[in-house]
Amino acid sequence: ASAAEISSGGPQRVRFAPSPTGSLHVGGARTALYNWLIAKRTGGTFILRVEDTDKKRSTKESEDAMLEDLRWLSLAWDEGPYAEGPFGPYRQSEREHLYKELGEKLLAAGKAYRCFCTEAELEAQREAQEAAGEQPQYPNTWRDADEAEVARKVEAGQPFTVRFKVPKGAKVKIDDVVRGEVEWDADATLGDFILLRSSGVPVYNFCVAVDDALMGVTTVVRAEEHLTNTLRQVLILEALDFKPPTYAHCSLILAEDRAKLSKRHGATSVGQFREQGFLPEAMINYLALLGWNEGNDKEVYSVDELIQAFDPNRIIKSPAVFDMAKLRWVNGQHLRALPGDRLYPLIHESLANAGALESTVTADSPYIAAVSEVLREYLELVPDANVELQKLISYPLAETLSSDEAKELVAEGGGFKELGDAVVAAYDAGELPDGSGDPAEHKTAFKKWIKALGKATGRKGKGLFHPVRLSLTGKMSGPDIGDIISVLHLAEGNATSFVSLSERVETLRKCLAELA
C-alpha cells in the first residue's frame, strides 16, 4: 500500500509497541503520535502493545511510567492494557502460548526446524568464519538433519532452538512509505535464524511478526533502526500465510550536533519535558513537525488541525534535528493561546512553588488573573513565570539610570527629569491612577492621564512613554505601564515581596533630587 492508500483506504489498524525497559523517549513518542494520527484521520484503531519479552530488563514501573506519559500527551489507545479489545492480551509476556503454537505450526509445515547446536559450537563456527574472512552466519547445520536423529535427541531431552528455514533463493521487497522500494536477498544475507530459544522464549522478530498478524495491523510506522528487522518479519509472515502490513520507517531524531539524540544532550524523555513545564499540546505540535510537514510554512497546530492535516506521504526521509529553542517557542505559542481557566492554575502553582505568593492566594484570585494576563505574552514555559514576575514587581531604577542604555534619557533634554518630576507631582496630587477600582476603568484612566501628560509637556511617542516607563517601572522596556500599576495594587497582601507604587515614587523623588 502507498501513503495515499493509508490516508484514503479506509480505517487503519496501527500500533505503538514500546519495550518497558526505560522511559518514553521523544523518538518513541513521535512514533506513537504518527500512528495515533493515522488512526484518528482514517477512523481506525490505535493499538498499544507492550513488548516485554526481555524479562531481565522489563519492569512494571517502566510500563506504568510510559503509559502515564502517553496519557499526559492525550494519546489514548483504543486497544491495549487497561483497554482490552478482541485481539488481546496486549502484553507479549501474556502471549507466549500463541508464539509456541505458531512455532509448532511452522515446524509441522517444514518451514522451521529444531537446532541442537550448543553455544560453544556456534561460537566456534563464528570464529572459523571470521578467520576465513567470511560474514558470520549460521551454517544451517541441522536444516536437513535426519528426522530419526532429531526425534532421538528430543526424546533424550536435549535442549534445542527452533530456527526458521529461509527459503532458497528468497528475496523480500517492500514499498516503504518513507524510504521507497527496499529489497533484500534473504538467501544471501541471512542464515536460518532463531524463532524460539532453547528456554522456549520467543525472539523479538517472531513475536512482532505474529502479533502484527494476529492483531490485524495494517500499517506499521516506526523508526528506521527497525528497517533491518523487516526482512525477518516479512519472511515469517509469508511463511504463516499472513499478508505483511504497509511499512513506514521514519528517520532518526538527531541532536543539534547531528549526533543521535541521547541523554548527554539534556532532556530526551517525555517525563523530563513534562517536569520542565512544557504543555502536552505543545509537545504534540513539535513532535509532529520532527520529520513531517504539511508542505507550507505553518508551525503552530492544534491537535485537531494535526489530525486533519497529517499525511504519511509528507513524512520526510532525512533525519530531523531536535531544536530546544524551537520547542520552547512552540510551547510559548500554545501557552499564550490558553484560556484563563487553564492558564491561571498553572501560573498559580508555579508562583506558589517559587515562594512568590502568600499562602492565602488561590488560583482564582484577581491577582493571579492580572499577573497571568500581563505575563502571558512573555512566557515560553510556565516555570518562567516567577522570573518574569520579579522583573515586573522589582524597581531597579538606580541601576538602570547608571547604565549606558539610559544615558540619552537622563541627559539634558532627554525627558527623564521633566517627566519624572511630572510623575511625582501627579502622585502627590492624587492624579496618577494607582490601579485601584475596576481594572478596565483603571486602564482607561491611565491612558487618559498619560495622554494629558503628553499634551502638557509637548511630548509624544517614545519621547513620552520611555521616560514615564523608566520613572514608574525602573526599566527601559516591558509590559504596558498601566497594567504593571494594576498588578502592583493587587500585589498587596498577595505577593511575598514587591516594590509598591508609593515606594517607587519615593525612590524616584530621591533619584531626581540627585540629578538636580
Side-chain angles (χ1 to χ4, degrees):
S2 66
E5 289 171 320
I6 292 173
S7 299
S8 61
Q12 298 293 305
R13 287 182 61 81
V14 296
R15 49 77 161 179
F16 175 54
S19 296
T21 56
S23 54
L24 181 61
H25 186 271
V26 291
R30 182 188 66 174
T31 297
L33 172 61
Y34 283 4
N35 281 287
W36 184 84
L37 288 171
I38 290 171
K40 287 296 176 186
R41 175 153 188 189
T42 65
T45 304
F46 177 53
I47 304 163
L48 177 62
R49 186 173 76 220
V50 179
E51 299 191 337
D52 58 350
T53 52
D54 186 343
K55 292 183 171 69
K56 288 183 180 178
R57 297 179 61 223
S58 297
T59 67
K60 183 68 166 61
E61 292 75 19
S62 176
E63 179 188 317
D64 290 344
M66 283 185 167
L67 267 55
E68 185 54 38
D69 286 340
L70 289 172
R71 291 188 189 103
W72 178 70
L73 291 168
S74 294
L75 298 181
W77 51 98
D78 304 300
E79 295 177 21
Y82 311 107
E84 296 300 323
F87 300 100
Y90 293 91
R91 292 183 184 88
Q92 287 186 337
S93 59
E94 299 169 5
R95 298 172 61 82
E96 290 189 1
H97 62 288
L98 296 171
Y99 311 132
K100 288 176 182 175
E101 182 183 312
L102 288 173
E104 291 293 337
K105 183 178 178 180
L106 290 172
L107 282 169
K111 296 177 179 179
Y113 59 91
R114 294 173 180 85
C115 169
F116 296 89
C117 289
T118 65
E119 196 55 50
E121 288 171 339
L122 292 172
E123 182 60 33
Q125 289 165 0
R126 276 193 293 269
E127 289 175 359
Q129 288 172 334
E130 287 173 352
E134 298 171 1
Q135 179 72 22
Q137 187 172 298
Y138 176 66
N140 302 345
T141 309
W142 287 87
R143 179 181 176 114
D144 299 309
D146 179 70
E147 289 183 17
E149 185 181 359
V150 170
R152 280 195 301 274
K153 286 186 174 291
V154 171
E155 183 73 22
Q158 284 200 25
F160 62 86
T161 58
V162 174
R163 287 185 179 270
F164 183 82
K165 188 180 285 187
V166 177
K168 292 297 181 185
K171 288 183 169 52
V172 169
K173 182 164 69 174
I174 63 167
D175 185 10
D176 191 281
V177 171
V178 179
R179 322 208 81 75
E181 193 174 283
V182 183
E183 186 172 4
W184 296 271
D185 185 336
D187 191 24
T189 57
L190 275 185
D192 291 346
F193 54 90
I194 294 173
L195 298 177
L196 297 168
R197 298 181 180 90
S198 57
S199 61
V201 175
V203 299
Y204 171 79
N205 282 306
F206 188 42
C207 296
V208 171
V210 168
D211 289 344
D212 284 344
L214 297 184
M215 292 180 180
V217 172
T218 58
T219 302
V220 171
V221 180
R222 57 189 180 185
E224 68 173 330
E225 59 201 34
H226 290 287
L227 185 60
T228 54
N229 292 326
T230 309
L231 169 57
R232 290 174 175 81
Q233 290 167 20
V234 171
L235 286 170
I236 292 166
L237 289 167
E238 289 177 342
L240 289 168
D241 298 321
F242 290 120
K243 180 185 177 184
T246 297
Y247 293 98
H249 287 91
C250 304
S251 294
L252 295 175
I253 298 175
L254 304 181
E256 290 179 65
D257 62 2
R258 309 295 294 186
K260 185 179 177 181
L261 188 66
S262 65
K263 290 178 182 177
R264 71 182 177 85
H265 296 107
T268 59
S269 73
V270 171
Q272 288 173 304
F273 289 110
R274 180 183 185 178
E275 289 168 5
Q276 289 179 14
F278 286 91
L279 298 172
E281 53 265 58
M283 287 300 299
I284 289 288
N285 185 163
Y286 184 68
L287 288 173
L289 298 176
L290 272 180
W292 170 87
N293 71 63
E294 194 181 356
N296 54 31
D297 295 329
K298 185 175 173 67
E299 293 182 306
V300 180
Y301 287 84
S302 69
V303 175
D304 285 342
E305 286 174 331
L306 282 172
I307 291 170
Q308 294 303 314
F310 189 76
D311 180 352
N313 197 45
R314 300 290 313 177
I315 295 175
I316 301 163
K317 190 175 181 179
S318 56
V321 175
F322 195 94
D323 183 342
M324 179 60 80
K326 186 63 173 289
L327 172 58
R328 287 182 65 100
W329 179 85
V330 169
N331 197 76
Q333 302 305 306
H334 283 272
L335 196 58
R336 283 160 212 160
L338 285 182
D341 61 358
R342 275 200 64 199
L343 179 64
Y344 301 169
L346 292 173
I347 298 295
H348 173 265
E349 181 183 20
S350 180
L351 294 179
N353 289 341
L357 300 176
E358 296 292 353
S359 59
T360 54
V361 181
T362 58
D364 58 357
S365 74
Y367 177 62
I368 293 297
V371 167
S372 299
E373 292 304 331
V374 173
L375 296 185
R376 185 189 284 273
E377 295 301 315
Y378 294 85
L379 297 179
E380 286 190 331
L381 285 172
V382 171
D384 295 342
N386 187 48
V387 173
E388 294 300 325
L389 176 61
Q390 295 313 312
K391 293 178 186 176
L392 205 70
I393 58 182
S394 63
Y395 187 63
L397 179 63
E399 184 183 330
T400 306
L401 288 176
S402 63
S403 69
D404 290 341
E405 194 180 11
K407 270 184 179 178
E408 285 186 26
L409 289 184
V410 178
E412 186 75 29
F416 172 69
K417 180 77 171 66
E418 178 188 2
L419 289 168
D421 285 336
V423 167
V424 172
Y427 179 81
D428 290 344
E431 296 169 357
L432 177 64
D434 63 0
S436 59
D438 180 76
E441 289 178 5
H442 164 71
K443 204 172 183 75
T444 302
F446 188 81
K447 285 181 179 178
K448 186 177 179 182
W449 174 79
I450 202 165
K451 185 177 180 182
L453 179 62
K455 192 172 182 181
T457 57
R459 287 180 172 272
K460 60 183 180 179
K462 292 179 180 179
L464 170 65
F465 286 97
H466 282 191
V468 172
R469 175 179 293 282
L470 181 56
S471 299
L472 288 169
T473 72
K475 303 177 192 71
M476 298 291 290
S477 60
D480 180 85
I481 306 167
D483 288 345
I484 294 175
I485 293 174
S486 185
V487 167
L488 294 175
H489 174 74
L490 291 168
E492 187 68 46
N494 292 304
T496 50
S497 67
F498 70 102
V499 181
S500 67
L501 182 60
S502 61
E503 291 171 323
R504 290 169 188 240
V505 171
E506 288 311 307
T507 300
L508 175 62
R509 198 191 305 273
K510 290 175 185 174
C511 287
L512 289 168
E514 291 171 4
L515 289 174

